[in-house]
Amino acid sequence: MARIPDAFIDELLARTDIVEVISTRVPLKRQGKEYSACCPFHDERSPSFTVSPTKQFYHCFGCGAHGTALSFLMNYDRLEFLDAVEELARRNGMEVPRETQQRNQDNDTRDLFGALEAAARFFQRQLEGSDKARAYLDGRGVDAATRAQFAIGYAPDGFSALKDALGTDERRMKLLDRAGLFSKNDRGHTYDKFRDRVMFPIYDRRGRVIAFGGRVLQKDDGPKYLNSPETALFHKGRELYGLWQVRQANQKIARLIVVEGYMDVVSLFQFGVKQAVATLGTATTPDHAELLFRNAPDVYFCFDGDAAGQRAAWRALESVLPRMKDGRQAFFLFLPDGEDPDTIVRQEGAAAFDARLQQAMPLSEFFFQELGKDIRLSTLDGKARLAERARPLLAQIPDGAFGDLMRQRLGEITGVGAASAPPPARPASRAPAHRSANNKPSLVRSAIVYLLHKPSLALALQPPHAFAGLRLPGIELLVELLDIVHTRPDITTGVLLEHFAEREELPHLQKLAMQELPGDENIWQAELLDAAHQMEKQLLQQRIDELQVKQRNIGLDEADKYELRALLQARVAR
């Protein structure tokens, strides 16, 4: 995908009213110059979520969520970056710039989506006319509303039903083939891949059909499930069946329940459990884990209780463990032999299934239970073995309370490392600035605050910035901010903060950006210019001090003496 120019992103966000974008999803209440609400990204009773129309960014003082209108759409609507850009561009009547090659690729991709959508409609029409396919779904208890919600269809028996209906020309044939809907025999003959199967369309995060899963009507008619092959649009290790329907059914997704089959998802939905998704015939991958947690803070993995289910659960744990940031939870529910979510929810109902989920095993418990299965923890050797197995896995957990508690639990079980001291805190090498002893903000800090409130003020200070040589906390950060604004003159506060999204300075900058700043833009500019002038005087004094120290220690050469005299005269003139 071609890179979207920064200038376009800046203009897009400058045209976007962040209050308008957020208020259509979260009820905002005006408070002075800003708006507030209960945070949509974590549970809270009193509002700590603030939206600033002048700075064009949002910030939650509770969970730390922050960003621009783009990042809000990505996190709230769970859109990919390019999809969020296109959504904002559409709202503002702008066209996302792309190279000619990229536009051709986009047109080609659009045609692929069109071919898959046409196939989905064909399968749905075939279901309407197939007594045996409808009888199968009736027998499984799938009602008409659920069939429509998941766009369930039927691929008729025979080798060319889809081909004859949609392959009207050579180009359409090639599109259907690239979409994974045809197979070829040894003689090169093309025929329908899906035959005499109930069809489940698989949707991407924008609700577009990208693939299909087909289930046989009779047990002995080939593999139980057949999925589309990997294509340019479909990568089974990155997609979850039912996620699109979950997002349509839930304004806020508190949990996701990972099951194994299409029918499990469909049945749970029909009985009111509308947070179920399924992996597509593969183990839970790291991409699946990231996608799950991006959509919900709590994830429940629901597997059979046999050995295969235990192995699948452990593979899921291995994918989830490196993504267990604070605030995320994972649970494991093992069903009785011979049962699956489809049968359980039909026999017991949604309330009983939910009760089972409430009793699911937390990741921490499953982790130590599985690692210690064949270990005698009553012996020192066994405890050492458990510690040896656990440590490399625990090292994958992100820094935070969960990782600390998991290591603490290992220490409680084994006695290994229980009394070890926590690692020393990293020094904040580039904190924005400090306050002086009399609690008055430093010049550097004040300048940074002005820039965060009105980035375009930087344009009043033309590079090169003489004060860049000052040895003061935060000076490098100040110069970096000035350089960013000179490179992108229309940048907003929100976008400016996004530059520091993965850096330790971000929390400090967020706090400074949220400060109440008295006065107006003219006063801030005067104050910024004065701060720059004062820092240049400090730089002059810094060099004088250096030369005078050198004079006392080793003496000055003629060039040094000339420089010192000039600096002293300049200090008097200032």
Side-chain angles (χ1 to χ4, degrees):
M1 181 65 73
R3 185 175 183 274
I4 299 176
D6 290 338
F8 176 82
I9 299 296
D10 291 345
E11 182 182 358
L12 177 65
L13 290 172
R15 289 195 194 183
T16 298
D17 182 351
I18 191 171
V19 173
E20 181 184 338
V21 171
I22 295 179
S23 64
T24 60
R25 296 158 174 83
V26 179
L28 296 177
K29 183 178 180 180
R30 187 169 193 121
Q31 288 190 337
K33 296 180 180 179
E34 297 174 340
Y35 294 79
S36 68
C38 288
C39 181
F41 302 116
H42 81 289
D43 293 326
E44 62 178 6
R45 295 181 180 177
S46 57
S48 61
F49 181 79
T50 299
V51 182
S52 171
T54 56
K55 302 166 193 170
Q56 285 294 298
F57 83 110
Y58 64 89
H59 179 75
C60 176
F61 292 93
C63 68
H66 70 281
T68 63
L70 269 178
S71 54
F72 182 84
L73 288 180
M74 291 171 67
N75 290 308
Y76 190 86
D77 287 2
R78 295 170 286 275
L79 298 179
E80 299 294 330
F81 173 74
L82 289 176
D83 294 336
V85 169
E86 289 178 355
E87 170 65 17
L88 286 186
R90 182 187 60 77
R91 291 171 63 100
N92 288 283
M94 300 171 66
E95 183 177 350
V96 180
R98 290 182 172 92
E99 301 168 358
T100 302
Q101 179 183 1
Q102 184 61 38
R103 286 197 297 269
N104 292 337
Q105 291 175 357
D106 288 346
N107 291 335
D108 189 53
T109 300
R110 192 159 41 247
D111 290 342
L112 266 179
F113 280 123
L116 286 159
E117 183 62 37
R121 290 196 299 269
F122 170 79
F123 292 138
Q124 284 181 283
R125 289 195 301 271
Q126 295 304 307
L127 176 63
E128 294 172 4
S130 172
D131 292 337
K132 68 174 181 178
R134 292 198 313 278
Y136 170 81
L137 291 172
D138 289 341
R140 295 296 300 265
V142 183
D143 62 26
T146 305
R147 297 178 199 181
Q149 183 178 20
F150 285 86
I152 297 172
Y154 171 66
D157 205 355
F159 286 87
S160 63
L162 178 69
K163 179 181 173 183
D164 293 343
L166 299 183
T168 52
D169 56 46
E170 184 178 354
R171 185 172 184 277
R172 177 58 71 91
M173 283 284 291
K174 288 181 179 179
L175 282 170
L176 294 170
D177 185 37
R178 288 172 53 203
L181 293 168
F182 292 152
S183 293
K184 288 183 180 179
N185 61 19
D186 294 339
R187 297 188 300 276
H189 179 69
T190 299
Y191 58 93
D192 291 354
K193 183 177 185 65
F194 297 99
R195 304 178 305 282
D196 196 23
R197 290 177 179 266
V198 173
M199 299 297 290
F200 299 87
I202 300 165
Y203 293 89
D204 68 4
R205 275 143 269 181
R206 294 178 63 183
R208 301 172 296 190
V209 179
I210 55 174
F212 293 92
R215 193 196 191 285
V216 294
L217 303 182
Q218 302 294 329
K219 290 183 179 180
D220 299 328
D221 292 346
K224 182 177 178 181
Y225 281 104
L226 181 65
N227 290 326
S228 292
E230 299 266 322
T231 68
L233 303 181
F234 176 59
H235 304 279
K236 63 183 179 181
R238 302 178 193 168
E239 304 295 339
L240 293 165
Y241 177 73
L243 183 58
W244 167 250
Q245 285 81 3
V246 170
R247 291 171 57 177
Q248 297 306 297
N250 300 272
Q251 183 175 9
K252 184 176 182 181
I253 306 173
R255 67 181 184 184
L256 282 173
I257 305 160
V258 183
V259 295
E260 295 188 79
Y262 299 103
M263 284 302 302
D264 295 324
V265 172
V266 169
S267 295
L268 287 171
F269 259 78
Q270 183 168 314
F271 279 80
V273 184
K274 298 182 182 297
Q275 304 92 27
V277 297
T279 55
L280 299 163
T282 182
T284 305
T285 66
D287 285 332
H288 284 146
E290 190 60 43
L291 183 58
L292 287 163
F293 278 128
R294 184 171 177 180
N295 283 273
D298 294 354
V299 178
Y300 292 77
F301 293 95
C302 187
F303 295 107
D304 294 340
D306 57 13
Q310 294 282 329
R311 288 193 297 271
W314 184 255
R315 287 195 293 271
L317 180 144
E318 289 179 319
S319 293
V320 164
L321 203 62
R323 289 153 186 85
M324 288 297 293
K325 300 175 183 176
D326 288 348
R328 294 177 172 181
Q329 297 186 98
F331 301 88
F332 295 84
L333 173 62
F334 297 100
L335 299 178
D337 288 346
E339 301 288 356
D340 56 33
D342 177 20
T343 59
I344 288 285
V345 76
R346 292 184 183 281
Q347 292 168 11
E348 302 179 358
F353 185 79
D354 191 68
R356 287 181 180 271
L357 290 174
Q358 299 306 315
Q359 300 301 314
M361 189 182 301
L363 180 147
S364 54
E365 182 180 340
F366 180 58
F367 177 86
F368 288 111
Q369 175 182 292
E370 281 297 294
L371 283 186
K373 261 186 175 178
D374 58 349
I375 294 176
R376 291 174 58 193
L377 289 173
S378 58
T379 68
L380 292 177
D381 307 66
K383 291 178 179 179
R385 178 170 293 180
L386 178 62
E388 182 182 358
R389 289 180 180 178
R391 277 177 166 170
L393 293 168
L394 296 181
Q396 300 176 31
I397 301 175
D399 292 341
F402 179 72
D404 293 341
L405 290 170
M406 288 288 283
R407 285 182 283 273
Q408 179 181 317
R409 179 60 181 150
L410 178 63
E412 293 169 355
I413 296 172
T414 65
V416 177
S420 61
R426 291 186 303 166
S429 58
R430 293 191 63 190
H434 66 288
R435 288 178 178 264
S436 57
N438 61 5
N439 207 37
K440 181 180 179 181
S442 72
L443 292 170
V444 177
R445 185 178 187 275
S446 297
I448 288 175
V449 171
Y450 294 132
L451 291 177
L452 291 175
H453 280 70
K454 188 69 175 178
S456 61
L457 294 177
L459 303 177
L461 296 175
Q462 292 302 315
H465 307 295
F467 51 77
L470 262 179
R471 291 190 294 274
L472 285 179
I475 198 71
E476 293 179 12
L477 182 57
L478 172 59
V479 173
E480 183 177 359
L481 289 168
L482 291 167
D483 289 343
I484 291 171
V485 178
H486 276 278
T487 303
R488 301 171 67 177
D490 296 324
I491 198 168
T492 62
T493 300
V495 179
L496 192 58
L497 289 173
E498 288 296 307
H499 275 267
F500 300 89
E502 303 298 326
R503 289 168 51 175
E504 61 185 351
E505 297 96 335
L506 180 62
H508 302 285
L509 292 173
Q510 288 173 336
K511 290 178 182 178
L512 296 179
M514 293 305 298
Q515 284 184 358
E516 287 291 335
L517 196 59
D520 56 25
E521 183 178 338
N522 292 329
I523 294 175
W524 300 344
Q525 178 171 315
E527 293 285 352
L528 178 63
L529 291 172
D530 182 65
H533 178 69
Q534 294 299 323
M535 285 188 287
E536 289 172 0
K537 288 174 63 175
Q538 288 187 13
L539 180 67
L540 184 146
Q541 186 61 50
Q542 176 179 289
R543 181 55 181 160
I544 290 173
D545 293 342
E546 290 173 352
L547 289 171
Q548 289 177 338
V549 169
K550 182 178 179 181
Q551 186 177 40
R552 289 194 298 271
N553 292 337
I554 60 174
L556 302 177
D557 58 23
E558 289 303 317
D560 290 336
K561 292 177 183 178
Y562 178 83
E563 182 184 0
L564 180 57
R565 285 194 299 270
L567 291 172
L568 290 170
Q569 291 172 359
R571 184 176 66 179
V572 172
R574 283 176 179 267

